[in-house]
Each structure stands twice: as structure tokens, then as C-alpha cells.
Amino acid sequence: ANSRKAICFVTGVPGAGKTLAGLNISTRNDSDSEEHAVFLSGNGPLVTVLREALARDDVARASMRGDRMDKKSAFEKVSSFVQNIHHFRDEALRSDKPPVEHVVVFDEAQRAWDREHAEKFMTQKRGMPSFDMSEPEFLISVMDRRTDWATIICLIGGGQEINTGEAGLVEWFSALQNHFPDWHIYHSGHIIHPNYSWGQDLNSKLSRRNATVVEDLHLAVSVRSYRAEKLSEFV
């Protein structure tokens, strides 16, 4: 409505339904709206399983309605809104046009690559030695191509070890601070917890930004074990 660009950080305890929330956003189909969304993950097996499950579900639902839908058509449809992050990135590299999506959901966003690792991958695997951005900066830049509005939703898992090249949350805020000052930030306030910040000082970056605290962006109850609300805290 206001032609703004925003980024939302969704945190939550293990099993709270972060991925489910992201899928619910990306799979909303409104034929009267031009709002397109995509769920992105760097976890190849997860993308494969989600596509297969959603395609089977579409076929089953069509059958219950008395309609006919073949598995191939269902899979192609699902593949448009559940993608591997590398596929989305490679498509954006082929052209400088804005993406068709207004909304991008990035699963496990804290595991995005830093500039050094992204540059190394693009040089060795894609033959692009001129690539000099971190994964968060590049993803934001792709959505920033839109002249109307865009929203990035970052799903943040806590308590994970840093693997080689994983940038953590600080890279998202550095990119926003240095290159995209007009973007609005929404978070629950929990992202400064060591489980999510990995010991980085996010307060200093947030204090200078157009950031809004929305408590509902933290999912505090596990839906996997909903009777054991305090289990994660105990562990």
C-alpha cells in the first residue's frame, strides 16, 4: 500500500514452525493478486522433499474435488514457489531485471554465505571472478530492483554451529546499513540473544536503523512438542 521495502527476521525455538510459516506465505495462491512469493533454501534435500510432498498433495486435493491433475504439472507448479537459493541466485545473475516475486522467504538465513565464500564459489563454480558481494547483500540487491515494493522474510534458527563461509545475522545488518538504508527492518527483539547473534554486536547496527520491534515475530512454543514449552529452555 505504501510502496515500501521491508525485511522481517523471524526467530523461534526448535520445532516452533518457522519453516511452516515460510511455506504458508510462499504457497498462498490468490488469482486476483499480483503478489508472488518464493520459499528459498540452501538445503537441497529439504527442497526436494517439500516439492514432492506438496506436488502429491495438490494431486490428491484435485482428485477429491473431482478434477484431474497429473503429477508433472503439479511438480512444475510447486517448483515455482519452492526453490533452491542457488537457482534463484543464478537466475538473477542472468539478467538485471527485477524478479517477478514481491516476497522472498529465506530459510535458515543465518547460514547465508559471507563475501569471501560467495566470491570463491562464484569464481570456481560459475566462472564469475568479478562477484564481490555476500549472499545477503546480493539477495537484498535483487529484491531492491523492484520499483514498487518488496519484502524479504528471514527465518532464523538458533544454537547452530557456524560452518565454513556462513556469515551469521551480522552480514544481513551490515548489508542493510551500508547499501540499503531505505529498507525497513522488523524483528522480535530476540535476535540480539547469543543463540541468534553468535556473539556479534547487533544492537549498534539496529540503533542506527529504521527498525521496529514486533514481538509476534518470535515463535516461542514448539509445535512438535507443544506440551513441553520449557523443554528447549531446559536443554
Side-chain angles (χ1 to χ4, degrees):
N2 299 307
S3 297
R4 291 178 180 172
K5 292 172 181 173
I7 184 166
C8 306
F9 294 92
V10 179
T11 53
V13 299
K18 296 182 294 294
T19 299
L20 179 59
L23 283 173
N24 282 339
I25 292 168
S26 62
T27 56
R28 286 183 306 181
N29 293 317
D30 185 351
S31 58
D32 297 327
S33 172
E34 294 185 358
E35 176 185 315
H36 298 287
V38 62
F39 179 92
L40 301 178
S41 175
N43 185 337
L46 174 65
V47 171
T48 300
V49 168
L50 288 176
R51 284 177 169 178
E52 179 69 19
L54 290 169
R56 289 184 184 183
D57 186 65
D58 273 358
V59 172
R61 287 172 184 267
S63 178
M64 290 175 64
R65 294 192 303 267
D67 299 330
R68 188 176 182 85
M69 177 182 287
D70 63 89
K71 177 76 174 295
K72 182 179 179 181
S73 299
F75 194 83
E76 289 176 353
K77 173 188 169 187
V78 168
S79 297
S80 67
F81 57 77
V82 178
Q83 297 180 19
N84 192 299
I85 180 64
H86 304 310
H87 173 78
F88 183 86
R89 182 200 57 219
D90 291 349
E91 285 294 314
L93 287 169
R94 293 190 183 99
S95 169
D96 58 0
K97 294 181 179 178
V100 296
E101 294 86 5
H102 280 93
V103 181
V104 166
V105 182
F106 196 2
D107 196 29
E108 298 288 358
Q110 79 283 354
R111 305 189 72 170
W113 289 343
D114 59 23
R115 188 195 61 78
E116 182 179 357
H117 196 73
E119 183 180 12
K120 181 179 179 181
F121 177 87
M122 296 304 291
T123 299
Q124 296 180 353
K125 303 294 185 179
R126 297 293 187 268
M128 296 186 62
S130 60
F131 192 89
D132 62 351
M133 288 185 280
S134 66
E135 206 166 39
E137 182 183 342
F138 179 70
L139 180 62
I140 299 172
S141 73
V142 172
M143 298 307 294
D144 196 55
R145 295 174 187 175
R146 295 206 62 96
T147 57
D148 46 4
W149 65 276
T151 300
I152 296 174
I153 300 171
C154 295
L155 308 178
I156 309 296
Q160 296 190 13
E161 296 297 327
I162 303 177
N163 291 329
T164 303
E166 291 179 4
L169 273 181
V170 68
E171 190 61 50
W172 288 93
F173 289 105
S174 294
L176 289 163
Q177 186 178 45
N178 297 330
H179 305 287
F180 308 100
D182 296 332
W183 278 64
H184 295 254
I185 299 174
Y186 297 89
H187 66 96
S188 67
H190 288 261
I191 56 175
I192 62 174
H193 189 281
N195 269 357
Y196 305 107
S197 66
W198 289 348
Q200 301 285 344
D201 181 18
L202 299 184
N203 265 328
S204 60
K205 296 183 180 297
L206 283 170
S207 63
R208 305 178 202 145
R209 294 284 315 158
N210 187 11
T212 303
V213 174
V214 180
E215 279 296 328
D216 287 343
L217 291 177
H218 180 70
L219 308 181
V221 179
S222 173
V223 293
R224 279 191 209 136
S225 307
Y226 58 89
R227 292 179 178 174
E229 182 177 348
K230 301 297 183 183
L231 181 61
S232 297
E233 183 180 340
F234 165 76
V235 172

